[in-house]
Structure formats: C-alpha cells, structure tokens
Amino acid sequence: MPRLLLHRRVLTGLLVVALAVHLYGLYDPTPTGGGLEINDKLVHGLLFGIPALLGVLRGAGGWWPLLLALHAPVSELVQARLLARRTGDPWDVVADLVGVALGWWLARAMRRRAVARRSEQTPSRW
C-alpha cells in the first residue's frame, strides 16, 4: 500500500466534513446561496468531486466513486419530487458526474505520483 499523502485521520476528518457539506448542499430544503453568486454547475462539481478525491486518497476502492455517481441522479430526483423549494436538473447530474470523474482522476494521479516518489527514494540493494 502506498504511503498516504496525508495522515489517515486527517483524511477521514476532511471526508466527514466534505460529506456533511455535500448532503447539506444537496438537501437543504430552503437554499439561499448565502448571497454568493457562484455558478451552480461548479458547485455541483465540487460537491461531488471533493468527496470523490478525499475518499480515493483515503484508500476507498472503486466502489466509492461508483456510489457517488449513483447518488447524483438520486439527489436530483429527491430535489425534484420531495423538496418543495428545490428543482431537479439533468445538467446538475452531468456536473456531478464530471466532479466525480475529476476527483477520482486527481486522486489516482496523486497516489501514482506518491508511489513513484517513494520508489525513487528507496535505496537499491545492489
């Protein structure tokens, strides 16, 4: 197993916070945006990309990005049908999936780089 980029407990804490923000952002029944003018699709990408990144860095297998990818359309259906002041948007699902893919890709690249650096630092026995 490659050496972790961050301590496992730190990654776990960051992942818990990211998931709390993720769920709040998706299921808050009265979204206000806090007066911030932020692109909705960018927010969706980040709400899914950051947990994907942190989960994969923490060592979750391929099931983690798959679970997030499955959650994307479910969250839009819940918003459309169960939350009175929210609407579902298929383009939000696309942004969510792009976020998952980018988070997964970035985490994999970071882990590969860490493994390569570690193998370069390991002295040869010959």
Side-chain angles (χ1 to χ4, degrees), residues 3 14 17 22 33 40 51 58 61 76 80 82 90 101 110 113 126:
R3 188 173 149 216
L14 291 172
V17 170
H22 170 87
D40 179 58
R58 190 182 177 284
E76 292 303 315
L82 300 177
M110 291 170 72
R113 182 171 287 157
W126 298 98

Side-chain angles (χ1 to χ4, degrees), residues 6-113:
L6 293 173
H7 195 276
R8 192 170 181 87
R9 287 185 183 170
V10 173
L11 283 171
T12 300
L14 291 172
L15 181 57
V16 167
V17 170
L19 288 173
V21 170
H22 170 87
L23 293 172
Y24 181 79
L26 292 173
Y27 299 113
D28 176 19
T30 57
T32 61
L36 297 175
E37 292 296 324
I38 301 175
N39 184 304
D40 179 58
K41 303 310 177 246
L42 176 62
V43 170
H44 274 270
L46 292 172
L47 284 175
F48 280 81
I50 292 171
L53 170 73
L54 293 171
V56 173
L57 284 178
R58 190 182 177 284
W63 62 269
W64 181 249
L66 178 61
L67 182 67
L68 288 169
L70 292 172
H71 183 236
V74 170
S75 68
E76 292 303 315
L77 289 172
V78 168
Q79 288 176 25
R81 300 202 176 166
L82 300 177
L83 301 175
R85 295 184 182 171
R86 302 291 298 260
T87 60
D89 181 356
W91 289 109
D92 286 349
V93 175
V94 172
D96 299 341
L97 295 175
V98 168
V100 170
L102 288 175
W104 173 82
W105 176 82
L106 183 58
R108 297 277 300 181
M110 291 170 72
R111 288 177 68 96
R112 277 194 301 270
R113 182 171 287 157

